[in-house]
Amino acid sequence: MPNSLFQKRFIINTGKGGVGKTTISAALALAFAARGKKTLLMQLNVVDRLGQTFGVAPIGPEIVQIQPNLFAVNATPAEAMREYAMMIVKLKSIYKVVFQNKLVEKLLRVMPGLPELTLLGKAYFHEIERDTWGRPVWDVVIIDAPATGHGMFLLQIPQVISKALSSGRMADESKRMLALLEDPSRTVINLISLPEELPVSETLELRRQIAQAFRIQLGEVFVNSVVSTPFDDSDRKWLDDVTIDDEPKENTLAATAALLQAAKFQTARERSQRANIEKLQRLLGQKPVEIQVDVDSATTREMLVRISRQLSAALFPPEGN
Ligand SMILES: Nc1ncnc2c1ncn2[C@@H]1O[C@H](COP(=O)(O)OP(=O)(O)OP(=O)(O)O)[C@@H](O)[C@H]1O
Ligand SMILES: [Mg+2]
């Protein structure tokens, strides 16, 4: 798999609100870490819930280790800006004089796009970060990008700045960021969808917009929360045809009726999801990666591990290779 997700170093995951961007980003990070890749999972200025899921303190702007090979951060513009300024001026004492935090906060408020630039800049910095021996600090950086609209804005910033400014430090940095975003050997953008009609249309539209606006390699499309029943075709036909008494007289019959109702409902859902996934596949011209709906309804570490196994099986080379 020469051009597979497994080889990438800078992975951006996006999609509509609530489709499972954070869940899939975290599960993917677990999958990479389990394969021995030193992984940085980046959330961009969100109200963190992953800390709780992983049983650690809320994840803030300082990188924390979650487990072997897995690290996480929830970048904030102010802290990213501070780190950046420190990189330039090096000495803390000088930084304090030149870049008082209050000034940083004001700058972030008045310059449109600056918060996004600093967040993306931090992500970029971690991709290029090298240790004292010149080796990459991170094998892969996984970005849980903001939902569609804001995510698109964020990714546009380097383009806008490198077009607007012809020279200077900010123009140079933006050009380097753009070079990373547009390097298909390192960077890929994955879309996350649901197997329902509207999310499928929205994903197709988002993909069209990304292809039009950016030269970022499009990667996988994840269809999250897929229902699957244990029924075969003849079971399904039987369930379709059976009529259920709405008000059965006996308790056992009532229980059976409720079970049958549930089975009918699930098979109908499975069928409609299947049709949506087929439509997505046809219009994408590529096979989406399906993630099963989990038994847990809230995000738990166990849920993330189960999803990470599905991702690993679907996307990574067989283990032992
Ligand atoms: N495969 C799944 N099975 C069951 N529940 C899931 C699955 N994927 C995600 N969820 C649940 O759906 C909810 C939304 O998921 P998540 O927070 O990952 O979405 P998001 O796209 O990051 O949302 P936002 O746009 O708010 O950041 C969470 O409660 C999560 O536990
Ligand atoms: Mg999220």
Side-chain angles (χ1 to χ4, degrees), residues 15-25 46 49 144-147 192 194 223-226 291-300 303-304 307 310:
K16 276 269 166 169
V19 293
K21 296 179 295 296
T22 302
T23 305
I24 288 181
S25 299
V46 297
R49 293 200 196 84
D144 173 14
I192 298 160
L194 295 172
V223 190
N224 190 22
S225 295
V226 176
I291 308 296
Q292 301 297 306
V293 68
D294 197 82
V295 286
D296 289 348
S297 48
T299 319
T300 59
M303 175 203 266
L304 296 180
I307 296 178
Q310 295 176 51

Side-chain angles (χ1 to χ4, degrees), residues 186-224:
R186 288 183 290 168
T187 302
V188 75
I189 185 162
N190 299 317
L191 307 185
I192 298 160
S193 187
L194 295 172
E196 317 296 337
E197 199 172 333
L198 193 59
V200 161
S201 310
E202 286 167 346
T203 303
L204 290 163
E205 172 59 17
L206 176 59
R207 192 178 138 107
R208 198 190 57 74
Q209 284 175 4
I210 291 174
Q212 206 169 48
F214 306 105
R215 280 181 297 185
I216 307 178
Q217 169 91 54
L218 282 153
E220 303 298 334
V221 175
F222 297 103
V223 190
N224 190 22

Side-chain angles (χ1 to χ4, degrees), residues 242-280:
V242 70
T243 44
I244 302 168
D245 185 353
D246 280 342
E247 287 173 27
K249 300 288 174 299
E250 286 176 51
N251 278 345
T252 46
L253 280 179
T256 313
L259 268 177
L260 277 176
Q261 281 295 10
K264 257 176 159 332
F265 175 76
Q266 287 297 69
T267 44
R269 200 159 161 224
E270 185 184 36
R271 186 175 293 135
S272 104
Q273 288 197 347
R274 203 37 50 213
N276 289 322
I277 295 170
E278 273 159 22
K279 177 181 169 196
L280 187 61

Side-chain angles (χ1 to χ4, degrees), residues 112-114 116 148-158 160 214:
L114 190 58
E116 287 77 13
T148 313
H150 192 210
M152 293 279 285
F153 178 65
L154 181 104
L155 294 173
Q156 246 147 9
I157 295 292
V160 171
F214 306 105

